[in-house]
Amino acid sequence: TVTEFITRTTVGDRRPGIPTFISTGTGGVCSPSSSRSVGTCRSWLSHALSRMDLKMKTVAIIPAHMSSTRFPGKVLANIEGLPMIARVVDRVRQAKLVDYICVACDPGPAEALLHKWVEHAKGQIFIGGHEPKDLLSLFYSTAELYKNLYGVDTIVRITSDCPLVDPALIDACIAVQQATNAPYVTTLYGYPEGTDTEVFTMAALHTIYTTTNDDKGREHVTWGMRDRTRFACCYLSGDG
């Protein structure tokens, strides 16, 4: 359970866990008087657990498409008998604090097989009509739908080519975000490639969506959230 995971990783277990919580950005989150502070996750995660009965609704959004230029169709690459997207959805489904899972797809006949496998993996599908490389619009439209339908306030971003994403890390990011009300929490830079998890608020996503005009920011959904002059960014770092 998430309780067992958090206890295990904050009381001295030396396996890779989440012993370090780093907050950076304007005003910080751990300490309002400091722009950077480092400490154990124990108090933050305990606080998160104490209010899990009031947990905000959470959707994990997995953008996926068949038009990868380096590895066309990689989201359907066979991994031990199942396509990659099915493996990713299955891993995310094991996270205890995720309420909904949605694969955000491009429209068109080329994506039909992808849609079929998402349904097979028991995931939900959102098919957008965004401009090429404007993944921010696709992501925002998906999140807005879940906010309107289910009152979702917490968004998880998982990439569709990470079949080893860790459900326990997803839960930890959600717990820290909801305990601290940080606009952006991530495992980026603190854990190996392929386990990347990003959790952020609907308000932060709305800000980025309405203020980002450059191509890089529109293509890379959370690029603007890592601007520490605008957002207090919280990073989870492994124990090694």
Side-chain angles (χ1 to χ4, degrees):
T1 66
V2 66
T3 305
E4 292 167 344
F5 171 78
I6 290 172
T7 301
R8 193 171 66 240
T9 56
T10 55
V11 294
D13 190 329
R14 304 305 293 177
R15 289 174 291 177
I18 309 180
T20 305
F21 174 62
I22 303 174
S23 172
T24 62
T26 304
V29 172
C30 288
S31 171
S33 62
S34 172
S35 63
R36 181 175 178 85
S37 53
V38 180
T40 66
C41 273
R42 183 182 303 174
S43 60
W44 295 98
L45 295 176
S46 296
H47 180 53
L49 287 173
S50 71
R51 50 183 283 182
M52 279 300 101
D53 58 324
L54 302 176
K55 186 182 80 69
M56 291 174 281
K57 292 292 185 181
T58 300
V59 61
I61 300 176
I62 309 169
H65 60 88
M66 296 288 287
S67 57
S68 171
T69 55
R70 290 175 296 178
F71 186 176
K74 69 178 176 179
V75 292
L76 295 182
N78 187 298
I79 302 176
E80 292 295 319
L82 285 175
M84 185 182 298
I85 189 63
R87 296 290 183 187
V88 174
V89 170
D90 181 66
R91 297 285 289 179
V92 176
R93 192 167 60 237
Q94 295 176 46
K96 303 295 190 299
L97 303 183
V98 172
D99 298 297
Y100 308 100
I101 301 172
C102 182
V103 178
C105 300
D106 294 328
E111 310 296 320
L113 191 56
L114 171 59
H115 302 168
K116 173 185 173 182
W117 275 109
V118 172
E119 292 172 351
H120 177 76
K122 299 180 181 178
Q124 296 177 314
I125 302 174
F126 177 86
I127 302 175
H130 63 290
E131 294 295 323
K133 294 193 174 182
D134 186 5
L135 295 182
L136 181 56
S137 287
L138 174 65
F139 207 94
Y140 181 79
S141 297
T142 309
E144 187 177 43
L145 175 67
Y146 276 80
K147 180 176 178 60
N148 293 337
L149 288 177
Y150 307 113
V152 163
D153 286 307
T154 302
I155 317 297
V156 182
R157 181 188 180 218
I158 302 293
T159 53
S160 59
D161 56 356
C162 291
L164 299 181
V165 64
D166 191 334
L169 286 180
I170 296 173
D171 281 335
C173 283
I174 295 170
V176 169
Q177 189 282 315
Q178 296 197 357
T180 63
N181 200 32
Y184 179 74
V185 177
T186 184
T187 62
L188 289 173
Y189 318 120
Y191 282 86
E193 288 285 344
T195 61
D196 300 342
T197 300
E198 297 172 282
V199 177
F200 41 91
T201 63
M202 187 67 196
L205 180 60
H206 178 77
T207 297
I208 291 301
Y209 175 72
T210 55
T211 60
T212 299
N213 298 310
D214 61 285
D215 292 342
K216 187 171 186 177
R218 304 299 299 190
E219 181 177 1
H220 301 282
V221 176
T222 58
W223 183 260
M225 292 184 198
R226 301 171 210 167
D227 182 348
R228 298 174 186 177
T229 65
R230 301 178 65 192
F231 296 97
C233 308
C234 299
Y235 295 90
L236 297 187
S237 178
D239 194 32

